[in-house]
Amino acid sequence: QVQLVESGGGLVQAGGSLRLSCAASGSTFSINAIGWYRQAPGKQRELVADITSGGRTNYADSVKGRFTISRDNAKNTVYLQMNSLKPEDTAVYYCKALTVVSSVLSVYWGQGTQVTVSS
């Protein structure tokens, strides 16, 4: 089992920055990949960025060059640095972890943190 707790959301003006944090606990050794998704009102949840245990990163085209995902293995925490924020980045941001234990794949989600970008 893995527990995920997000923090760092808030209200920011367009062009501003925020840093989200996702603290993982439990069987963190089993995490293969961890990342951020977001869901705006009336829209489907979408991938923002993720990072594998080997350090490979993946970004949605809409955030490339503006957002950076990183992880601190010692703290079991993954970060999402968001710069040059736009109103269309407004959404609830969720942390997601993927684990594989004895060939069994499991998915864990955090509770989400609200990001609101005003124009």
Side-chain angles (χ1 to χ4, degrees), residues 40-59:
K43 295 189 176 181
Q44 288 190 330
R45 194 171 296 189
E46 62 177 3
L47 171 71
V48 177
D50 60 17
I51 183 167
T52 68
S53 56
R56 180 180 298 179
T57 59
N58 179 44
Y59 294 92

Side-chain angles (χ1 to χ4, degrees), residues 59-70:
Y59 294 92
D61 288 343
S62 60
V63 307
K64 283 181 181 176
R66 300 188 298 122
F67 292 10
T68 303
I69 190 169
S70 61

Side-chain angles (χ1 to χ4, degrees), residues 4-6 21-23 34-37 45 78 93-97 108-113:
L4 304 170
V5 178
E6 303 101 332
S21 299
C22 173
I34 188 166
W36 293 93
Y37 284 67
R45 194 171 296 189
V78 64
Y93 283 69
Y94 297 91
C95 185
K96 172 187 173 183
Y108 299 91
W109 291 94
Q111 82 286 353
T113 185

Side-chain angles (χ1 to χ4, degrees), residues 38-46 88-92 94 114:
R38 67 186 180 187
Q39 187 166 21
K43 295 189 176 181
Q44 288 190 330
R45 194 171 296 189
E46 62 177 3
E88 50 264 44
D89 294 318
T90 295
V92 178
Y94 297 91
Q114 177 71 46

Side-chain angles (χ1 to χ4, degrees), residues 1 4 8-9 12 16 19 22 37 41 45 48 55 59 61 63 65 71-72 77 80-81 85 89 96-97 100-101 110:
Q1 292 281 334
L4 304 170
V12 64
R19 189 177 82 156
C22 173
Y37 284 67
R45 194 171 296 189
V48 177
Y59 294 92
D61 288 343
V63 307
R71 61 191 297 174
D72 184 332
T77 300
L80 184 69
Q81 179 66 44
L85 282 160
D89 294 318
K96 172 187 173 183
V100 179
V101 178

